[in-house]
């Protein structure tokens, strides 16, 4: 066969493959578009849209699945907001919120008039590298199909999320991601941009659906459900953290907490400027995701950070002046308003941080060991604020600043959001015991 013939066959094959792919995408959209809906948050007074998302029908009797964050404002303020749907063919109607899973960002609603089509939930997990298809209504532009790649469960989170290589844009939240057979494998939830997006695995929706069906006709108390889910979530997080192997890391002349579990990632930075005589080394560690409760209220956060400050040839009074100036602005890592939480109540005390001596060198072994120094003194604040709707859950804010070294200082801070007092006390005891000075 001549080279020209071979080129022609390759060209024809590529053109046909591209055409076939375009046709298959078009058929997928055509086959399943009737199951898709825009979810509208309507502000009652103005009778106007206040928020948009996507959803999909999952049963013949008109049950619709979406993200919790799409409908959260209607949960928090039902007197101000109502929920409506809009089909791809322009059919409109009202929605009733039936059940929620705030940890996995899911909600189940019912249409006032069920649509004729619905999607089935997949029972088989896609293979890594398999093409799947996200559907939703991006930027209120109309229903769209986005092909992308299934990359398995993303690492580095307390919450299972599918890593999807495709563009999920605002307005697509709550829409389905389907496989080539049209079965739901995930639910659109978030994006990091640059073709990095995330889906809630369909098994989370299947579990919520099964739980809802088991309730029968009994009305679900959404606040009680939320409370129960938050308690279980914080218990799972604190159990994972306390059972992990804590590996101290050096920071200046101290040993501090490093990455305890994969869901907590740490970053570092050194600030050393010619016009500032104080060198500062920062280490910040935080969980990558939170539980969304409302636009102004999130929970489930674990974060901690350390700052090592030192100066050479600087009077202690000048050092502590610079130290206090740099460390004057600390605040909790999660959002919460006065309707959500009480004011912080703080206990302050002076505490001690022990010194440890590392392995002796050969020279030290031959000489008389130096006299051990006493512990380092720190000024510590332990602050707590209570969740108003969930009285046994709290935000905890901890801050410790060493105060008795001439030109050295260590600052330790952590925030826990949405934890019980028992969990917070266990974390605090473990956290403080890991901080030591050389």
């Amino acid at each position: 066969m001549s080279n020209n013939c071979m080129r022609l066959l390759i060209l024809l094959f590529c053109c046909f493959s591209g055409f076939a792919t375009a046709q298959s995408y078009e058929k997928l959209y055509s086959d399943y578009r009737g199951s898709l809906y825009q979810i509208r948050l309507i502000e009652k007074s103005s009778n106007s849209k206040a928020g948009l998302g996507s959803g999909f029908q999952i049963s013949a009797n008109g049950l619709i699945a979406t993200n919790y964050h799409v409908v959260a404002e209607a949960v928090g303020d039902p007197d101000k907001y109502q929920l409506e749907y809009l089909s791809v063919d322009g059919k409109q109607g009202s929605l009733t919120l039936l059940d929620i899973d705030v940890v996995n960002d899911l909600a189940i609603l019912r249409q006032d008039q069920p649509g004729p089509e619905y999607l089935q939930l997949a029972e088989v997990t896609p293979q890594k590298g398999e093409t799947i298809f996200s559907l939703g209504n991006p930027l209120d532009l109309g229903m769209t199909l986005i092909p992308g790649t299934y990359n398995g469960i993303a690492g580095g989170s307390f919450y299972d999320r599918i890593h999807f290589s495709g563009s999920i844009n605002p307005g697509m939240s709550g829409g389905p991601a389907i496989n080539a057979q049209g079965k739901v494998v995930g639910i659109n939830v978030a994006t990091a941009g640059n073709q990095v997006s995330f889906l809630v695995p369909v098994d989370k929706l299947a579990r919520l659906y099964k739980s809802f069906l088991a309730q029968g006709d009994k009305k679900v108390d959404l606040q009680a459900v939320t409370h129960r889910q938050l308690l279980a979530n914080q218990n799972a997080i604190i159990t994972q953290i306390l059972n992990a192997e804590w590996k101290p890391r050096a920071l200046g002349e101290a040993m501090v907490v490093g990455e305890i579990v994969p869901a907590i990632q740490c970053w570092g930075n050194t600030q050393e400027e010619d016009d500032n005589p104080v060198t500062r080394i920062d280490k910040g560690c935080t969980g990558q995701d939170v539980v969304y409760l409302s636009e102004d209220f999130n929970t489930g956060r674990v974060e901690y950070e350390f700052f090592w400050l030192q100066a050479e040839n600087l009077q202690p009074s000048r050092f502590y002046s610079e130290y206090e100036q740099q460390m004057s602005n600390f605040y909790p890592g999660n959002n919460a308003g006065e309707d959500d939480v009480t004011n912080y109540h703080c206990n302050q005390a002076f505490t001690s941080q022990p010194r440890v001596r590392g392995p002796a060198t050969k020279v030290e072994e031959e000489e008389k060991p130096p006299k051990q120094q006493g512990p380092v003194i720190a000024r510590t604040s332990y602050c707590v604020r209570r969740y108003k709707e969930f009285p046994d859950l709290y935000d905890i804010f901890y801050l410790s600043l060493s105060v008795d070294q001439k030109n050295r200082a260590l600052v330790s801070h952590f925030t826990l959001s949405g934890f019980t007092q028992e969990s917070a006390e266990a974390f605090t005891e473990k956290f403080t015991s890991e901080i030591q000075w050389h």
Side-chain angles (χ1 to χ4, degrees):
M1 183 182 293
S2 69
N3 288 337
N4 287 337
C5 289
M6 180 64 75
R7 292 193 196 100
L8 180 59
L9 284 173
I10 292 172
L11 180 61
L12 286 172
F13 174 78
C14 291
C15 290
F16 178 77
S17 297
F19 178 68
T21 301
Q23 276 196 323
S24 63
Y25 291 171
E26 182 180 353
K27 187 175 188 306
L28 275 172
Y29 180 77
S30 175
D31 286 348
Y32 302 108
R33 64 190 295 274
S35 305
L36 308 176
Y37 295 88
Q38 183 183 82
I39 309 299
R40 296 181 162 194
L41 180 71
I42 303 297
E43 203 269 332
K44 292 181 179 179
S45 297
S46 63
N47 195 31
S48 298
K49 293 179 292 187
L52 295 174
S54 300
F56 55 101
Q57 192 168 330
I58 60 173
S59 70
N61 63 346
L63 296 183
I64 286 182
T66 188
N67 287 145
Y68 174 76
H69 76 256
V70 171
V71 301
E73 301 307 314
V75 177
D77 197 347
D79 294 331
K80 183 176 181 180
Y81 299 104
Q82 64 188 31
L83 296 167
E84 296 181 356
Y85 65 87
L86 175 68
S87 74
V88 292
D89 294 323
K91 177 185 172 183
Q92 292 180 272
S94 62
L95 290 167
T96 302
L97 184 58
L98 301 177
D99 207 351
I100 56 177
D101 179 347
V102 295
V103 173
N104 289 299
D105 203 351
L106 294 171
I108 293 177
L109 309 96
R110 175 173 283 129
Q111 299 167 277
D112 58 351
Q113 297 181 12
E117 302 177 36
Y118 63 94
L119 292 172
Q120 295 182 347
L121 307 184
E123 297 179 351
V124 178
T125 302
Q127 297 292 318
K128 281 192 176 183
E130 183 177 332
T131 299
I132 58 176
F133 310 87
S134 171
L135 298 119
N137 191 340
L139 305 173
D140 201 15
L141 296 174
M143 285 297 170
T144 301
L145 181 146
I146 306 291
T149 306
Y150 176 89
N151 298 297
I153 300 298
S157 176
F158 288 116
Y159 314 105
D160 287 346
R161 295 292 184 263
I162 294 168
H163 174 198
F164 172 68
S165 295
S167 296
I168 294 177
N169 292 299
M172 295 182 70
S173 291
I178 61 175
N179 59 23
Q181 291 73 46
K183 293 188 176 183
V184 179
V185 297
I187 300 89
N188 304 333
V189 69
T191 183
N194 297 318
Q195 302 284 309
V196 178
S197 299
F198 301 97
L199 314 170
V200 179
V202 73
D203 66 288
K204 311 298 184 185
L205 176 58
R207 186 175 63 188
L208 176 62
Y209 184 31
K210 182 179 179 181
S211 173
F212 169 73
L213 293 178
Q215 296 280 343
D217 295 330
K218 183 180 178 181
K219 186 177 180 180
V220 176
D221 184 338
L222 298 179
Q223 182 171 328
V225 166
T226 301
H227 190 194
R228 186 168 62 249
Q229 291 170 357
L230 293 179
L231 279 171
N233 182 58
Q234 68 85 35
N235 184 63
I237 291 174
I238 205 68
T239 300
Q240 184 179 345
I241 288 174
L242 294 179
N243 288 342
E245 181 183 2
W246 292 40
K247 297 179 180 179
R249 296 287 186 268
L251 186 74
E253 296 173 12
M255 299 295 290
V256 300
V257 180
E259 293 179 347
I260 304 171
V261 293
I264 297 175
Q265 298 182 12
C266 298
W267 304 88
N269 182 50
T270 299
Q271 299 185 29
E272 190 173 16
E273 302 174 4
D274 293 338
D275 59 347
N276 190 332
V278 178
T279 297
R280 195 179 93 191
I281 307 173
D282 304 350
K283 184 183 185 69
C285 306
T286 183
Q288 300 306 295
D289 296 300
V290 296
V291 175
Y292 180 100
L293 295 178
S294 73
E295 187 175 352
D296 302 314
F297 188 21
N298 59 60
T299 188
R301 177 178 290 276
V302 178
E303 68 172 12
Y304 47 92
E305 54 189 345
F306 305 93
F307 304 89
W308 174 262
L309 297 93
Q310 65 182 47
E312 304 298 337
N313 303 318
L314 196 65
Q315 291 294 322
S317 59
R318 173 76 187 283
F319 173 73
Y320 273 92
S321 176
E322 293 283 346
Y323 173 26
E324 290 181 357
Q325 182 178 350
Q326 290 194 34
M327 297 291 108
S328 60
N329 294 315
F330 277 92
Y331 51 87
N334 66 309
N335 295 329
E338 61 182 13
D339 293 335
D340 307 312
V341 294
T342 64
N343 292 327
Y344 270 112
H345 295 279
C346 300
N347 290 323
Q348 295 187 341
F350 286 96
T351 59
S352 61
Q353 297 169 340
R355 291 184 184 273
V356 292
R357 187 172 174 233
T361 64
K362 185 176 180 180
V363 173
E364 289 173 333
E365 287 175 347
E366 294 172 352
E367 298 176 354
K368 184 179 179 180
K371 184 179 180 181
Q372 292 292 314
Q373 294 177 286
V376 175
I377 305 302
R379 186 175 74 243
T380 300
S381 297
Y382 185 89
C383 303
V384 175
R385 63 184 181 187
R386 178 177 57 82
Y387 285 16
K388 291 183 176 180
E389 292 188 353
F390 314 114
D392 50 356
L393 292 176
Y394 301 83
D395 287 342
I396 295 87
F397 179 86
Y398 172 93
L399 180 63
S400 177
L401 304 93
S402 64
V403 295
D404 65 338
Q405 306 300 296
K406 292 182 178 180
N407 55 5
R408 302 283 190 273
L410 175 67
V411 178
S412 310
H413 159 253
F414 72 74
T415 295
L416 301 177
S417 61
F419 285 75
T420 64
Q421 287 188 345
E422 181 182 15
S423 294
E425 288 169 0
F427 179 89
T428 303
E429 181 179 356
K430 179 67 173 174
F431 180 88
T432 55
S433 70
E434 296 292 325
I435 301 171
Q436 299 175 332
W437 287 61
H438 295 304

